[in-house]
Amino acid sequence: MQINGQESYLDAGISVSEMLEALDIEAKKVIIEINLEIIEKDKYSETKLHEDDKVEIITFMGGG
Amino acid sequence: MSEYSIQTKKDQIPSQEEFEAQLVARHTPGVHAKVKNAVVGIAGLGGLGSNVAVSLARLGIGKLILVDFDRVEPSNLNRQQYFTRHIGIKKTKALKELIKEINPFVEIETRDIFLDKDNVLDCFKDVEIIVEAFDNPESKATLVNTVLTKDKEKIIVAASGMAGYFSNNTIKTKRIRDNFYLIGDGVSEVVDGCGLMAPRVAIAANHQANTVLRIILGERDV
């Protein structure tokens, strides 16, 4: 699968939650788009990633 | 005595007609008509939100819905549009008062609430465009997630990454989706030794304000 435009070393079949954990990204600070669809926050553990998925992770920085 | 000299008398507030005439002269009648009809929601009235609100008020925006639960503190004055006389006052009240001094004919609604996934849609049900102007990254993500997944009609203009005094030119406006714009450098968060400072926060805020203006005027590209 692709994450933010780059082919990822992560294995297909893991959940969005597992992907974030593997990448050491805090789930509360992101929005996740898979194949252009935004994933609801409470669906991160049930949403599995597939080989041909294109994932975009947008991480919000503190400050405003 | 000409009308012009009457209008410049000290402490005299121009009438609504005079305000409108000035804005039409500056912005053209077509632009002013669209701006005057726009309703914009601002989530968070800190460095981003207070600056966005002031710019939109100066444009003669029709109506603003201003949302924040917090009060003005001395530490806010390094970048937020408040004055020392506002310390201790609710940000909603202080900003409404301040905008009334800029343009008394901008309609303002205020909500003293902590926005979360359960109240955000109701709070902004009457607006076309929502400006995400929070400080806290978790609140930013929650707001954007909720709006993008639950109400596909709204347009959201968010910001991420504007701390410090890095180059001006790293702050960009990106269109992530049809209805989601994201402004900032994407990396500069608040950490020890890299705080929020007025110029860069105002640069990001005015990227947001100009994005709102462009959307109102039908310019959807960045």
Side-chain angles (χ1 to χ4, degrees):
Chain A
M1 66 190 133
Q2 277 194 10
I3 300 179
N4 290 1
Q6 294 191 326
E7 203 53 43
S8 171
Y9 59 84
L10 296 174
D11 294 323
I14 62 170
S15 68
V16 170
S17 299
E18 287 164 336
M19 171 192 72
L20 291 172
E21 205 169 311
L23 298 173
D24 199 19
I25 293 171
E26 283 182 80
K28 286 179 176 176
K29 296 183 181 175
V30 298
I31 61 176
I32 306 277
E33 204 181 57
I34 301 176
N35 306 328
L36 301 179
E37 191 187 335
I38 305 276
I39 309 302
E40 290 187 39
K41 272 204 174 292
D42 52 11
K43 303 229 165 103
Y44 285 0
S45 31
E46 67 190 63
T47 305
K48 304 286 183 199
L49 296 166
H50 306 97
E51 194 59 55
D52 51 356
D53 280 347
K54 288 193 167 70
V55 183
E56 289 290 326
I57 305 171
I58 296 157
T59 308
F60 282 96
M61 299 294 140
Chain B
M1 191 184 282
S2 74
E3 267 187 62
Y4 185 76
S5 63
I6 294 169
Q7 280 185 38
T8 56
K9 260 173 68 178
K10 191 171 182 293
D11 293 338
Q12 183 170 323
I13 297 169
S15 69
Q16 185 161 11
E17 290 68 31
E18 287 163 339
F19 259 98
E20 298 264 333
Q22 302 282 3
L23 289 168
V24 165
R26 292 275 170 189
H27 300 163
T28 75
V31 166
H32 178 64
K34 287 179 183 160
V35 172
K36 195 186 155 191
N37 279 325
V39 183
V40 178
I42 303 184
L45 305 177
L48 293 169
S50 65
N51 276 294
V52 172
V54 164
S55 281
L56 294 179
R58 290 196 192 279
L59 286 171
I61 198 96
K63 181 173 172 180
L64 294 174
I65 296 179
L66 306 176
V67 190
D68 201 299
F69 66 96
D70 218 350
R71 290 176 188 274
V72 178
E73 293 177 30
S75 64
N76 300 150
L77 299 179
N78 84 322
R79 68 188 188 283
Q80 305 184 17
Q81 285 284 354
Y82 306 104
F83 303 135
T84 48
R85 65 180 154 90
H86 293 129
I87 290 169
I89 297 175
K90 289 273 192 184
K91 287 184 176 177
T92 45
K93 188 179 174 207
L95 193 55
K96 181 176 179 177
E97 177 198 295
L98 201 151
I99 287 171
K100 290 292 169 194
E101 290 182 45
I102 293 168
N103 182 338
F105 306 106
V106 173
E107 196 182 334
I108 309 270
E109 265 183 41
T110 60
R111 310 234 207 286
D112 290 315
I113 55 170
F114 183 90
L115 276 172
D116 59 28
K117 64 180 170 48
D118 299 316
N119 61 15
V120 64
L121 296 177
D122 184 58
C123 184
F124 291 129
K125 63 179 186 299
D126 298 328
V127 314
E128 181 197 356
I129 305 167
I130 299 171
V131 176
E132 179 285 305
F134 290 137
D135 184 51
N136 178 322
E138 294 173 16
S139 295
K140 286 173 178 287
T142 301
L143 176 74
V144 175
N145 258 296
T146 307
V147 173
L148 290 181
T149 54
K150 309 277 190 209
D151 187 346
K152 296 182 166 61
E153 298 297 305
K154 304 273 189 239
I155 301 167
I156 186 152
V157 181
S160 171
M162 78 295 298
Y165 54 92
F166 303 102
S167 167
N168 306 335
N169 299 333
T170 54
I171 291 179
K172 304 279 185 219
T173 298
K174 291 180 185 162
R175 190 179 187 185
I176 308 285
R177 297 168 68 81
D178 281 354
N179 59 341
F180 173 35
Y181 295 80
L182 185 61
I183 282 139
D185 66 15
V187 292
S188 302
E189 64 182 324
V190 178
V191 289
D192 279 349
C194 182
L196 293 162
M197 301 169 88
R200 243 167 148 255
V201 173
I203 290 171
N206 280 299
H207 269 249
Q208 289 184 290
N210 193 49
T211 299
V212 170
L213 176 60
R214 285 175 58 76
I215 294 166
I216 291 167
L217 298 176
E219 301 286 347
R220 299 296 298 272
D221 294 334
V222 297

